[in-house]
Amino acid sequence: MFIPLAIVQYSSDNLGWFTRSLLDNRSLLYNVVYVLLIIAFTYFYTAITLNPTQMAEDMKRNNGFIPGVRPGKDTANYIEEIMSRLTLPGSLFIAFIAIMPALAGLLNVQQGFSQFFGGTSLLILVGVVIDTLQQIESHLMMRHYDGLLNSGRTRPQNAISAY
């Protein structure tokens, strides 16, 4: 969405209201188009990366099953139905995160601050924090520590022999 708008912005000085509103990341038209593109590309990405038929065949080959669903085509249909149910709320959540800077602009937050702590930056920040916590937790578990979120006591070295 940014590349065509950058070309239009530098190509002409006499812009109509439609183009001007598409260039302003706080305008309603810009954010509606942005949300629609996020939802469409979320469905596209899900359709490209996840193959329910292959997942059902892999489950069948590994003697796995979903309780109450017959293996094979029924499992593939069930997985596809669940994926379609999860994709819409997930795409709406991602779209909400992406337009948070514009929503913060409505609350008179400075644009530099809202751009820095909104949208993609927030998703990256949360991902890095979760990954860091997992690495700390695995390091503590390797050192026989109960964990970061538990009581914080060390485990006895001969925990197996205590049984």
Side-chain angles (χ1 to χ4, degrees):
M1 184 154 171
F2 298 118
I3 294 172
L5 294 177
I7 293 170
V8 169
Q9 183 179 11
Y10 294 116
S11 66
S12 174
D13 291 333
N14 299 329
L15 302 174
W17 70 269
F18 182 78
T19 309
R20 261 187 268 121
S21 65
L22 280 178
L23 290 173
D24 181 19
N25 64 351
R26 292 185 179 196
S27 72
L28 179 64
L29 181 62
Y30 176 91
N31 287 298
V32 167
V33 170
Y34 197 35
V35 165
L36 291 176
L37 285 173
I38 288 172
I39 292 171
F41 279 110
T42 303
Y43 274 99
F44 176 73
Y45 180 78
T46 304
I48 294 296
T49 58
L50 299 174
N51 186 357
T53 306
Q54 183 66 35
M55 291 171 72
E57 291 300 320
D58 289 343
M59 285 177 64
K60 187 177 180 181
R61 219 175 311 124
N62 294 322
N63 295 326
F65 64 94
I66 298 173
V69 180
R70 297 185 71 175
K73 186 170 174 44
D74 290 341
T75 300
N77 291 339
Y78 181 76
I79 292 172
E80 188 172 352
E81 180 183 339
I82 296 299
M83 282 183 358
S84 65
R85 286 183 184 174
L86 289 176
T87 303
L88 182 63
S91 65
L92 290 174
F93 178 72
I94 292 171
F96 174 72
I97 295 293
I99 64 167
M100 276 180 57
L103 296 176
L106 295 174
L107 299 173
N108 294 327
V109 175
Q110 291 179 353
Q111 185 172 2
F113 185 76
S114 65
Q115 289 294 329
F116 184 71
F117 286 109
T120 308
S121 301
L122 187 62
L123 290 174
I124 291 171
L125 179 71
V126 169
V128 168
V129 167
I130 289 173
D131 186 47
T132 304
L133 285 175
Q134 286 175 348
Q135 288 181 7
I136 291 171
E137 185 74 24
S138 67
H139 180 73
L140 292 174
M141 295 299 276
M142 187 174 67
R143 299 284 180 188
H144 303 290
Y145 194 74
D146 272 344
L148 185 64
L149 300 177
N150 292 339
S151 63
R153 288 177 274 121
T154 56
R155 283 192 232 148
Q157 294 293 332
N158 299 329
I160 296 174
S161 64
Y163 296 110

